Amino acid sequence: MDTLTPVSACRYITSIHLTTTQPTEFIDLTERVQQLIARAELRFGIVNVQTLHTTTAVVVNEHEPLLLADFQSLLEAAAPSDGRYQHDDTSARTVNLTDAERPNGHAHCRALLLPASVCLTVTSGRLLLGRWQRVFFVELDGPRERDVSVLIFGEAAR
Amino acid sequence: MDTLTPVSACRYITSIHLTTTQPTEFIDLTERVQQLIARAELRFGIVNVQTLHTTTAVVVNEHEPLLLADFQSLLEAAAPSDGRYQHDDTSARTVNLTDAERPNGHAHCRALLLPASVCLTVTSGRLLLGRWQRVFFVELDGPRERDVSVLIFGEAAR
Amino acid sequence: MDTLTPVSACRYITSIHLTTTQPTEFIDLTERVQQLIARAELRFGIVNVQTLHTTTAVVVNEHEPLLLADFQSLLEAAAPSDGRYQHDDTSARTVNLTDAERPNGHAHCRALLLPASVCLTVTSGRLLLGRWQRVFFVELDGPRERDVSVLIFGEAAR
């Protein structure tokens, strides 16, 4: 347990652009976030990884392909893609309708059950993660063009 | 991608009082949080929006009324309001009993599945949100008097 | 509503070691986190409580034993411990296999539905929590040895 002596502030905001290719997809952002922390020269602080969409999420879990398939089954059970969603009834809806409207009530419902942002600890210039922890962007209504913001905030390495 | 030069620290803590009117209710806090950021004169940093109750949540999703009805159905399916909850068995309970006790095990269970706080990025003096993203306080056991804390933290505009 | 005058930075990172004794277990960390805030002499800022495991979570809810039993029933319904998970099929898996492998797909799925970290507000040297709010580490695949990181970050008391 150490009390940290502040050196100088580090504030860095950027975003990661992603092109998803599947309706549901888990994209491992861990290395990209780690590289941004290194580039920002953050030593101690937080990184806030926040999706900019309402049918996506940011989660931390293990990167094991069969487990990611289990997650997809879990989300399908929680909010089935063939379920009935009032949001998809464009004859009844009057709000936020666009030309590109597509039925995605299930994706919003899945997003409600998952975090929109994850705040993670940075120490000694590295994301503090356990052995199996990886940071994922979760696409729930793909394929789409997506953006995730990354705020890096704390004490600079020099 | 910009490295931000620190100017001066901005630390601001306040709360928003809400009177909810429905058992389940989504209250859009986006404009109120944005106004608090402007009043605090935060340029870059984070805003942490945290509920102070255990049968409520703070979420980010789209503000479309039919979608909010879908969310209510999702929560009802996950933890039915007429389900059996040991928490509601006041004959068996010995802990945290009050005169104002009412059956709300379903509301606690729904709250467990949703975030108690959301940490969001602020840049150029504005909440960084995607096109459809809005910040909601979620009442799960209303109507009630409620409070949400808002911590604004980072680099001042001047 | 107060604008806070910065005094000096407080940055403190530590971890809490836990030995869990049950498959599912809610361990109340509130006092321990509060003691760490006091030891770090943080006056205003945030505390980020982050688990370092992928079959665990950090949540905020009420500490009432029968309610914690309800939470366990909710998680069992969401991802049954006797369900079929591809992650548990060691004949098919090729990734992240260890000698200590045990079937825990249900625990990962439950962890997906709960937060890996919680960012909470600190003001006047105290965790800002509502009357019933407590911070819990959630074991979903115990008994195990576990670690939770605690980042304390903001303005020092002196």
Side-chain angles (χ1 to χ4, degrees):
Chain A
M1 190 143 101
D2 301 305
T3 302
L4 309 172
T5 313
V7 183
S8 66
C10 176
R11 313 230 187 292
Y12 195 81
I13 295 171
T14 188
S15 63
I16 298 171
H17 184 77
L18 300 166
T19 301
T20 64
T21 62
Q22 305 295 326
T24 302
E25 191 174 347
F26 291 79
I27 300 177
D28 191 328
L29 299 180
T30 314
E31 288 312 312
R32 274 177 273 196
V33 173
Q34 184 52 55
Q35 284 163 16
L36 291 170
I37 291 166
R39 198 190 303 182
E41 301 189 338
L42 180 73
R43 191 168 63 173
F44 291 104
I46 57 167
V47 55
N48 197 50
V49 183
Q50 180 192 324
T51 182
L52 297 176
H53 309 277
T54 53
T55 51
T56 62
V58 180
V59 303
V60 176
N61 214 299
E62 182 181 343
H63 194 161
E64 193 279 295
L66 297 185
L67 181 63
L68 300 180
D70 288 326
F71 290 164
Q72 192 161 342
S73 301
L74 178 80
L75 295 169
E76 177 65 27
S81 50
D82 64 355
R84 271 193 78 254
Y85 301 92
Q86 296 186 49
H87 181 63
D88 297 340
D89 180 358
T90 47
S91 69
R93 260 181 68 186
T94 58
V95 174
N96 291 359
L97 283 164
T98 67
D99 289 344
E101 205 61 42
R102 60 190 193 185
N104 62 2
H106 66 290
H108 283 285
C109 286
R110 296 172 186 190
L112 187 74
L113 298 175
L114 300 177
S117 68
V118 171
C119 186
L120 297 168
T121 294
V122 176
T123 179
S124 304
R126 304 277 311 164
L127 264 180
L128 183 60
L129 291 175
R131 179 178 182 192
W132 302 115
Q133 285 186 309
R134 307 289 292 180
V135 183
F136 290 94
F137 175 83
V138 189
E139 173 62 82
L140 299 165
D141 185 35
R144 295 246 198 188
E145 302 298 316
R146 300 297 200 178
D147 292 287
V148 187
S149 80
V150 181
L151 175 77
I152 294 169
F153 183 44
E155 179 184 316
R158 48 175 195 159
Chain B
M1 190 143 99
D2 300 303
T3 302
L4 309 173
T5 312
V7 182
S8 66
C10 176
R11 313 228 189 295
Y12 195 83
I13 296 171
T14 189
S15 63
I16 298 171
H17 183 77
L18 300 166
T19 301
T20 64
T21 62
Q22 304 295 325
T24 303
E25 191 173 348
F26 290 79
I27 299 178
D28 192 328
L29 299 180
T30 316
E31 288 312 313
R32 274 178 273 196
V33 172
Q34 183 53 55
Q35 284 164 15
L36 291 170
I37 291 167
R39 198 190 303 182
E41 301 189 338
L42 181 74
R43 192 167 63 173
F44 292 103
I46 58 168
V47 55
N48 197 51
V49 183
Q50 180 191 323
T51 182
L52 296 175
H53 309 277
T54 53
T55 51
T56 61
V58 180
V59 304
V60 177
N61 214 299
E62 182 181 342
H63 194 161
E64 192 278 295
L66 297 186
L67 181 62
L68 300 180
D70 289 325
F71 290 164
Q72 191 162 341
S73 302
L74 179 80
L75 295 169
E76 177 64 28
S81 50
D82 63 356
R84 272 192 79 255
Y85 301 92
Q86 296 186 48
H87 181 63
D88 297 340
D89 181 358
T90 48
S91 69
R93 260 182 68 188
T94 58
V95 174
N96 291 358
L97 282 165
T98 68
D99 289 344
E101 206 60 43
R102 59 191 194 184
N104 63 1
H106 67 289
H108 284 284
C109 285
R110 295 172 186 190
L112 187 75
L113 298 175
L114 300 177
S117 69
V118 171
C119 185
L120 296 167
T121 294
V122 175
T123 179
S124 303
R126 304 276 311 164
L127 262 182
L128 182 61
L129 292 174
R131 180 178 181 193
W132 302 115
Q133 285 185 310
R134 307 290 290 181
V135 183
F136 291 94
F137 174 82
V138 189
E139 173 62 79
L140 299 165
D141 184 35
R144 295 245 198 189
E145 301 297 316
R146 299 297 200 176
D147 293 286
V148 188
S149 80
V150 180
L151 175 78
I152 294 169
F153 184 46
E155 178 184 317
R158 45 168 199 164
Chain C
M1 190 142 99
D2 301 304
T3 302
L4 310 171
T5 313
V7 181
S8 66
C10 176
R11 313 228 188 294
Y12 194 81
I13 295 172
T14 189
S15 63
I16 297 171
H17 183 77
L18 300 167
T19 301
T20 64
T21 61
Q22 304 296 325
T24 301
E25 190 173 348
F26 291 79
I27 299 177
D28 191 328
L29 299 180
T30 315
E31 289 312 313
R32 273 177 273 195
V33 173
Q34 184 52 56
Q35 285 165 13
L36 291 171
I37 291 167
R39 198 189 304 182
E41 300 189 338
L42 181 73
R43 192 168 62 174
F44 291 104
I46 58 169
V47 55
N48 196 50
V49 183
Q50 180 192 322
T51 182
L52 297 176
H53 309 277
T54 52
T55 52
T56 62
V58 180
V59 304
V60 177
N61 214 299
E62 182 180 343
H63 194 160
E64 193 278 294
L66 297 186
L67 181 62
L68 300 181
D70 289 326
F71 290 164
Q72 191 162 341
S73 301
L74 178 80
L75 295 170
E76 177 65 27
S81 49
D82 63 355
R84 272 192 79 256
Y85 301 92
Q86 296 186 49
H87 181 63
D88 297 339
D89 181 358
T90 47
S91 69
R93 260 181 69 187
T94 58
V95 173
N96 290 0
L97 283 165
T98 67
D99 288 344
E101 206 61 42
R102 59 190 194 185
N104 63 1
H106 66 288
H108 284 284
C109 285
R110 295 173 186 189
L112 186 75
L113 298 175
L114 299 177
S117 68
V118 170
C119 186
L120 297 168
T121 293
V122 175
T123 179
S124 304
R126 304 276 313 162
L127 263 181
L128 182 61
L129 292 175
R131 179 178 181 193
W132 302 115
Q133 286 185 310
R134 307 289 291 181
V135 183
F136 290 94
F137 174 82
V138 189
E139 173 62 79
L140 299 165
D141 185 34
R144 295 245 199 190
E145 300 297 316
R146 300 296 201 177
D147 292 287
V148 187
S149 80
V150 180
L151 175 78
I152 293 169
F153 183 45
E155 179 184 316
R158 45 169 198 165

